[in-house]
Structure formats: structure tokens, C-alpha cells
Amino acid sequence: MLRTGIVAAAMLLAASNGATAETPVERGAYLVNSIMACGNCHSPRDAGGRLISDKAFSGGLTFNTPPFIATAANITQDIETGIGSWSDAEIKRALVEGMRPDHGHLASVPLAAIMPANFYKALLPDDLDAVVAYLRTVKAIRNQVADPVYKAPVRRDPYPDADAGFNKADLANPLKRGAYLVTIGHCMECHSAWSRGVSDFRGGLGGGGRVFPPRDGSPEGTPPTIIPNITAHPTAGIGSWTDAEIVHAVTHGVARDGRPLKPPMAYGYYASLTSSDLADIVAYLRTVPALP
Ligand code: HEC
Ligand code: HEC
């Protein structure tokens, strides 16, 4: 009786703080399906490039990016072909260290660098728990993806903000919260200068210029995509865009001049970001040093 009373009182208290609004599963669903856009790589698409909604997370894109060929894994709860047999600790290790469990298929083989563990290492413990809690709710789908082929040891480029890390108190500060979201959203993985397989997250942060080949299944003759500069530079970057124009581009995939943004920009996922998270992302982007 007393116990129930205490629990009820604690719940009331939490409700008055506005903290009960989100359960870990809800928080995980929000992260995975908005800023972290796991499905952008891990969910299959049809020939027209549209997501196949009832096959979400069952294995997705194949990246043929020397020195590796890797297919985004089946991360549904299927025991044999997904991650249903992995412990929570093993899933966390894959996310933040890019390492597979020491049992089962491909035991202890590191994940190809395309899996953005160098960014995900910034996840706060509660958010990491939330992502795993949500993944546990993803319905099992049987689908065996092709094994990866590595022609060189896996190497991830260190991302300074992820290495410095964040703490809970940082998230009360809009700029730091924006930096956190941009880190776990691995925005700068695509948007930074890149040469001979190495990203420049210090001198080339947000500078763009990376070239992405057309997606498999794109019509013949589709030109490669050149990733734009999203630094605060007034002409080369987005420095002269209004906040609303940046938010519109990020959530609707339409640039200031009306040009539709090409894949793999994950605007379909970013469309479900809350307006306060979007405001903090924009605030942070304003501070990324201008690059020509
Ligand atoms: C940029 C593309 C990309 C994004 C975004 C991405 N992944 Fe991955 N992920 C991959 C690839 C590719 C592999 C397989 C690498 C390999 O085989 O070496 C992988 C592997 C994994 C694995 C290991 C599974 C296995 O069976 O080996 C897990 C777990 C995982 N990803 C979870 C996630 C989650 C959760 C998210 C979002 C928070 C996410 N990934 C976002 C590309 C991505
Ligand atoms: C997987 C790669 C990838 C990731 C991750 C990514 N982007 Fe993009 N981004 C692109 C591509 C591709 C385009 C459009 C290129 C085109 O259409 O020519 C783009 C376009 C943009 C634009 C429009 C700029 C312009 O000049 O047209 C903005 C703003 C932007 N991204 C911000 C972000 C933010 C913020 C994040 C993280 C929340 C992010 N991007 C994550 C690939 C990516």
C-alpha cells in the first residue's frame, strides 16, 4: 500500500516536471526515425527508391566504397538473420564501437566504417538505452543480407565533438544540444570535406564537396551528387539563408532556390524532428566556421 503510494507520488512529481511524457521506447523511436535516420541505410527501397514500409530495418543499401563492400544489416529482432539473439550490451557495442559480438556469424569482425559508430559514441547513456529499447520492438523479418567484404582494416575518422563527448547538462544549452543532434545525426559525415577516403572534420567541417555516386537503380546517366556546403559562409554555404529556409530544406528536401535535394539527404526522416530540436540544429549550424 505504502509502496504504491510512493510510486504514484513519484509519477505525479515526474508528470509535473513534464518528464513522463516520453518512455524510453518512445524516445528511441523518435531518435531512430528522425535525427538518426537508421532506416535511410537499413531499410529496403523499391525500384523507384520508395521505402518498403512493411520491411523496415530488414536490410538496406549496399555500399561499394573501397576498401569495403558492405550491406546495411538486418537490424530487426529476427533471431537468425537479424539481431534478435544479441544482448543489449552487444547491440550497444555495435552502435558505439562498431564491433560485432564474439559469437555467431562473423564473430568479432568489426563493422565497416559506413556504420557511423564514430558519431554514435556521443550518445548519452539514456539515449543509447532508448535506442536499444526501441529496436527490441521492431518486428522480426527474415532476410539474410550478403556478407561484407573488407579489403583493408576498418578505420573510422574521429569526430571531435563525439570524442569530447556530451553530458546531460549540455542538453539544456540550445547550442550544445544542436551540436549533439548534429553529431548523432552524423550530418557532417556527408557534409565535410573528404579526400582519398579520409574525412576532414577539423579544417573541412561542413564544407561539402564530397561526391556520391548515383544510387543503385537510378536511371542511366544520372550524374553523381555533390554534397553542398552547410557552413555559415554567406554565398558558398547557408549563412545568408533564413532559419525558416534552412528548416524547410532539412525537413522537406527543397533548397532555398526551389531545387529538390537529392538522396541520400534524409529529409523524410528529419521531417519528424520537433521544432525545438530543429531550432537548436540551426543555431549550431550558424556557428560552423564559414568555408569558401
Ligand atoms: C550510413 C549508413 C548507416 C546508418 C545511418 C546506420 N547504419 Fe547500421 N550499419 C550500416 C552498415 C553498412 C552495416 C554493416 C557493416 C558491415 O557489414 O560491416 C551496419 C551494421 C549495423 C549493425 C550490426 C548488425 C549486424 O548484424 O552486423 C547494427 C546493430 C546497426 N548497424 C544498427 C544501426 C542503428 C540502430 C542505426 C541508427 C541509430 C544505424 N545502424 C545507422 C550502415 C548504417
Ligand atoms: C547521408 C548523407 C547526408 C547526411 C547524413 C546529411 N545530409 Fe544534408 N545533404 C545531403 C545531400 C545529398 C544533399 C543535397 C545535394 C543536392 O541535391 O545536390 C544535402 C543537402 C542539405 C542542405 C541543403 C543545402 C544546399 O545548399 O542545398 C542542408 C541545409 C543540409 N543538407 C543539412 C543537413 C543536416 C542539418 C543534416 C543532419 C541533420 C544533414 N544534412 C545530413 C546529404 C546528407
Side-chain angles (χ1 to χ4, degrees):
M1 202 40 212
L2 181 62
R3 218 193 155 88
T4 339
I6 292 171
V7 171
M11 281 170 73
L12 266 177
L13 191 69
S16 65
N17 289 336
T20 45
E22 236 179 3
T23 63
V25 170
E26 285 164 354
R27 172 71 178 162
Y30 174 70
L31 292 171
V32 164
N33 295 311
S34 69
I35 188 68
M36 300 185 78
C38 311
N40 202 34
C41 292
H42 283 281
S43 292
R45 291 172 185 270
D46 65 19
R50 284 170 301 260
L51 288 166
I52 308 172
S53 58
D54 61 343
K55 298 238 166 85
F57 305 114
S58 65
L61 295 176
T62 296
F63 299 87
N64 189 345
T65 321
F68 55 81
I69 303 173
T71 301
N74 178 344
I75 55 170
T76 73
Q77 285 296 301
D78 190 60
I79 302 281
E80 272 171 54
T81 65
I83 57 170
S85 69
W86 296 21
S87 68
D88 288 1
E90 286 165 349
I91 298 176
K92 289 181 189 176
R93 189 156 181 239
L95 287 169
V96 302
E97 291 175 34
M99 185 51 106
R100 288 186 176 86
D102 61 7
H103 59 83
H105 190 57
L106 300 169
S108 299
V109 175
L111 298 168
I114 188 81
M115 171 61 193
N118 44 337
F119 294 84
Y120 296 165
K121 70 183 282 196
L123 278 169
L124 292 174
D126 286 353
D127 281 347
L128 188 54
D129 287 343
V131 167
V132 173
Y134 171 68
L135 291 176
R136 292 290 185 212
T137 71
V138 172
K139 137 184 116 154
I141 296 175
R142 200 184 158 77
N143 178 39
Q144 183 68 57
V145 308
D147 280 355
V149 180
Y150 309 121
K151 300 179 189 115
V154 173
R155 195 206 75 249
R156 287 185 169 75
D157 301 320
Y159 188 66
D161 276 359
D163 289 344
F166 293 86
N167 58 53
K168 229 172 172 163
D170 287 339
L171 299 200
N173 170 323
L175 266 186
K176 285 190 181 153
R177 190 181 176 87
Y180 176 69
L181 292 165
V182 165
T183 301
I184 65 172
H186 77 103
C187 311
M188 296 306 190
E189 163 110 274
C190 293
H191 282 281
S192 296
W194 191 84
S195 121
R196 274 167 290 155
V198 182
S199 286
D200 181 2
F201 297 131
R202 289 189 187 274
L205 186 75
R210 200 171 163 174
V211 179
F212 278 49
R215 249 191 192 162
D216 286 351
S218 301
E220 190 77 33
T222 305
T225 302
I226 301 166
I227 305 290
N229 178 333
I230 56 167
T231 69
H233 193 280
T235 50
I238 55 173
S240 64
W241 296 28
T242 64
D243 290 2
E245 285 166 346
I246 299 173
V247 166
H248 190 69
V250 169
T251 56
H252 288 74
V254 179
R256 168 154 92 150
D257 58 9
R259 178 175 40 89
L261 302 180
K262 296 186 209 149
M265 175 64 187
Y267 50 83
Y269 292 88
Y270 306 148
S272 37
L273 283 166
T274 62
S275 50
S276 79
D277 280 352
L278 284 163
D280 295 346
I281 288 170
V282 171
Y284 167 74
L285 290 178
R286 299 271 183 224
T287 69
V288 176
L291 289 174

